[in-house]
Amino acid sequence: MDDRDESAPTQSRAVQSDPGKSGLPSRHTTVGPERAPHRSFLYAMGLSAREIAQPFVGVVTTWNEAAPCNISLSRQAQVVKKGVAAAGGTPREFTTITVTDGIAMGHAGMKASLVSREVIADSVELSVRGHCYDALVGLAGCDKTLPGLMMAMLRLNVPSVFLYGGSILPGRFRGKDVTVLDVFEAVGANAAGTMSDADLAELETVACPSAGSCGGQYTANSMAYVSEAIGLALPGSASTPAPYESRDRFADASGRAVMALLKRGLRPRDIVTRQALENAAAVVAATGGSTNAALHLPAMAHEAGIAFDIFDVAAVFRRTPLIADLKPGGRYLAKDVHEIGGVPVVLKALLDGGFLHGECLTVTGRTLAENLESVLLPDHQDVVHPTTRPLSPTGGLVGLSGNLAPEGAIVKVAGLRRLAFSGPARVFDREEDAFAAVMQRRYHAGEVLVIRYEGPRGGPGMREMLSTTSAIYGQGMGEDVALITDGRFSGATRGLCVGHVGPEAAVGGPIALIEDGDVIEIDAERGTLSLRIDPAVLAARRERWQPRRHAFQSGALWRYAQTVGSAGKGAVTHPGAAAEEHVYADI
């Protein structure tokens, strides 16, 4: 007779009155005579009475076969589960969705991308609530999966550890490192006649040689760095590339760490404070990261009941120096940061310069400063600079406001030579029209391209514009035009591209009132975005303006459009922790 058959009756009675489950959510599914049917399901899956009596730890991944970003997560999750079990927990694996931007980019599929962040957070919440898990380890790879899982952790507020799946290795083309951004830009070069069809075909086959998320400081890596800076991930876990099996030590350690948090009672909202959010914004600025951080950090703060909007993020961006020379504005990739010591090296440089709150708690149970005590910024490398010798005295991202963006906007300036731009508008009411105009060269140097009705509500879904911006760069026009939108830009975007313009066109924001030829002024040094127009003319246009009906009048995109808020506050879809009367962790 097997061990379970011998012990189940006696141990089952122990489970019925197990004092070790006191205060844990899983007591609602495992303790007491009335939970015998629930336990029968657990026995059916091979659990022993001992395992049923232990804390239940959800191990959630965004694994799928959509793209290389998430393909290695399932394997890593198995190691996390071993770590949980070794530390006295019972892991319960489940998955949630992914919309991979590299595949969704440049067509209507991108409307699903930002919406997927909310679906991820909601689905994890529902899975954990429904099955009464006591703690959570989340593994993610793609752009929206990282904030989506961290938002769920903050919403549920059970002890949680986040683990990034790791970045892709660089491809090699004609003797240099390349990423998928090079392929996007090559599309524009091909259209301009400066790259042959054969060269484009060769590049696309070598640009992405392994599992992992895009290798530059695009959104996935930016949010991975955030996971360490904000304290939800173990030190060093964000920078080891996905194909390296050395990631297993972080996976095992994450499983053990969540059990230590559970025993200590340390929860995500104890870790993610206002100061921790400022740390997260600082690491994005210091590395020339993605403008999407100005969308995701307010959304994460919202889940914790902390007011932290696009202007708060921008204030940190402005006071933080740019110290990491990373693509798309710089020269290096995530793999290069790993080889000099990883994210802790960036954090230590910022801490030594006085740009981080070292007293913030982390999932190690220690403070950020304590985690970094033995870390040194290596000599004889130029990937990460000390703050005394920055690449720029202010961060790689800048917040803007003005009569064209009363609710704010955001622009990435890392690597840009031109920080101010003034020119006539060329207006498009959807990305497809702008992309077609660019591919057909129906635009001119000195113009400001406006892409509107692509905001959270108007899109719906707030699409990224990487295909359009990359085509412009591929045509050699990246510094000769500017682009503004109430949509978003990929973390891989470069050029003077202003996103998150609010209020969006769909709700009658000033961007809806622009006409071809209007002069738009962008000044990233002063932080302004203005429409040079007589106020009376603008008022007359506002009187004539009528809302537009988008084409998505049913399904998930319709539902999202009914509930989503402004980009400046994170494009969130529910009232957040400030309004809650019940926290899942305390059921």
Side-chain angles (χ1 to χ4, degrees):
M1 186 177 293
D2 65 24
D3 179 66
R4 194 189 69 190
D5 289 337
E6 289 179 353
S7 62
T10 301
Q11 291 193 15
S12 181
R13 285 193 293 272
V15 168
Q16 292 176 22
S17 60
D18 179 18
K21 291 272 189 170
S22 177
L24 294 183
S26 64
R27 73 188 188 279
H28 294 295
T29 59
T30 60
V31 176
E34 69 277 17
R35 302 309 179 205
H38 305 65
R39 291 191 295 272
S40 70
F41 269 23
L42 300 173
Y43 284 128
M45 291 183 285
L47 294 188
S48 68
R50 177 183 56 80
E51 289 170 316
I52 294 171
Q54 294 177 159
F56 279 15
V57 178
V59 178
V60 57
T61 76
T62 57
W63 177 89
N64 62 35
E65 295 181 334
C69 325
N70 298 285
I71 201 70
S72 68
L73 296 178
S74 181
R75 186 195 68 77
Q76 294 185 49
Q78 308 317 306
V79 186
V80 171
K81 290 162 67 178
K82 290 179 180 178
V84 170
T90 299
R92 310 311 298 150
E93 184 179 357
F94 65 101
T95 60
T96 185
I97 70 160
T98 300
V99 173
T100 299
D101 289 3
I103 300 292
M105 193 72 69
H107 55 88
M110 178 50 73
K111 293 178 183 291
S113 174
L114 185 57
V115 181
S116 75
R117 186 191 73 179
E118 313 311 307
V119 174
I120 290 164
D122 291 349
S123 65
V124 173
E125 177 195 356
L126 295 176
S127 292
V128 171
R129 281 188 183 278
H131 304 112
C132 292
Y133 294 153
D134 303 315
L136 193 63
V137 180
L139 296 86
C142 279
D143 297 3
K144 310 308 167 296
T145 64
L146 283 81
L149 286 187
M150 288 188 276
M151 286 163 64
M153 292 171 177
L154 288 159
R155 186 184 303 179
L156 293 161
N157 204 32
V158 291
S160 302
V161 175
F162 178 85
L163 180 61
Y164 182 43
S167 66
I168 198 169
L169 295 175
R172 294 288 291 177
F173 181 73
R174 308 292 163 84
K176 69 172 186 175
D177 285 348
V178 292
T179 71
V180 71
L181 174 60
D182 295 277
V183 187
F184 274 103
E185 293 186 357
V187 171
N190 179 256
T194 57
M195 174 176 271
S196 69
D197 291 347
D199 285 351
L200 178 60
E202 180 185 345
L203 175 60
E204 72 179 68
T205 63
V206 300
C208 300
S210 74
S213 302
C214 297
Q217 199 62 353
Y218 314 150
T219 304
N221 277 320
S222 296
M223 296 308 296
Y225 282 38
V226 161
S227 72
E228 286 195 35
I230 210 166
L232 290 175
L234 293 177
S237 62
S239 41
T240 304
Y244 290 8
E245 292 193 1
S246 56
R247 288 203 59 78
D248 285 2
R249 68 185 179 92
F250 293 111
D252 180 82
S254 294
R256 294 173 185 269
V258 80
M259 291 304 299
L261 294 173
L262 190 59
K263 291 170 184 174
R264 183 173 174 176
L266 188 60
R267 298 176 173 181
R269 295 187 197 175
D270 300 323
I271 292 169
V272 178
T273 61
R274 168 68 185 235
Q275 289 72 28
L277 286 159
E278 291 182 356
N279 287 348
V283 80
V284 175
T287 56
S290 172
T291 55
N292 281 311
L295 191 71
H296 300 323
L297 290 177
M300 291 168 61
H302 183 71
E303 300 289 357
I306 300 169
F308 194 72
D309 64 14
I310 191 172
F311 294 110
D312 296 310
V313 175
V316 179
F317 287 170
R318 183 165 290 279
R319 69 175 183 247
T320 306
L322 175 66
I323 62 170
D325 194 7
L326 302 178
K327 288 180 181 288
R331 296 176 294 163
Y332 295 106
L333 296 170
K335 178 176 177 288
D336 300 305
V337 177
H338 166 70
E339 290 175 350
I340 65 162
V343 179
V345 167
V346 180
L347 296 177
K348 185 59 180 295
L350 288 172
L351 182 67
D352 287 348
F355 296 98
L356 293 181
H357 303 283
E359 72 279 10
C360 291
L361 279 174
T362 72
V363 291
T364 65
R366 301 186 300 167
T367 66
L368 184 68
E370 290 170 337
N371 288 343
L372 299 172
E373 278 178 358
S374 61
V375 176
L376 298 174
L377 179 63
D379 296 326
H380 310 299
Q381 56 82 30
D382 59 354
V383 180
V384 177
H385 294 225
T387 57
T388 54
R389 189 169 46 83
L391 294 162
S392 168
T394 60
L397 301 105
V398 173
L400 307 176
S401 61
N403 70 345
L404 192 46
E407 292 181 359
I410 202 81
V411 60
K412 178 185 285 191
V413 298
L416 282 183
R417 296 186 299 274
R418 186 174 182 179
L419 299 181
F421 197 102
S422 177
R426 184 178 290 266
V427 182
F428 305 93
D429 286 343
R430 61 178 192 149
E431 185 198 7
E432 286 88 347
D433 296 338
F435 183 69
V438 168
M439 294 298 284
Q440 297 163 19
R441 303 300 292 266
R442 290 188 285 109
Y443 70 102
H444 303 291
E447 291 183 328
V448 179
L449 309 186
V450 179
I451 307 177
R452 63 189 180 191
Y453 294 99
E454 291 286 5
R457 183 174 299 180
M462 202 179 183
R463 285 194 285 184
E464 292 182 345
M465 310 295 167
L466 179 62
S467 292
T468 301
T469 60
S470 296
I472 291 169
Y473 249 94
Q475 293 173 0
M477 296 286 282
E479 296 277 350
D480 297 322
V481 297
L483 195 154
I484 72 167
T485 180
D486 53 5
R488 299 181 293 127
F489 292 111
S490 165
T493 292
R494 54 183 179 144
L496 195 59
C497 300
V498 180
H500 306 195
V501 174
E504 63 174 293
V507 299
I511 192 172
L513 310 178
I514 302 171
E515 295 182 0
D516 284 342
D518 289 347
V519 175
I520 295 172
E521 296 177 337
I522 305 165
D523 192 328
E525 291 184 305
R526 294 193 299 131
T528 58
L529 177 62
S530 305
L531 183 64
R532 194 193 300 167
I533 192 171
D534 187 307
V537 173
L538 197 63
R541 291 181 187 177
R542 188 177 300 282
E543 287 294 319
R544 297 193 302 269
W545 179 82
Q546 294 292 324
R548 296 191 176 208
R549 179 182 172 91
H550 60 71
F552 298 87
Q553 293 300 312
S554 66
L557 294 177
W558 175 86
R559 184 168 57 245
Y560 179 81
Q562 307 311 303
T563 57
V564 69
S566 70
K569 295 185 183 299
V572 295
T573 57
H574 69 104
E580 69 187 8
E581 298 180 5
H582 143 90
V583 181
Y584 164 77
D586 294 328
I587 63 170

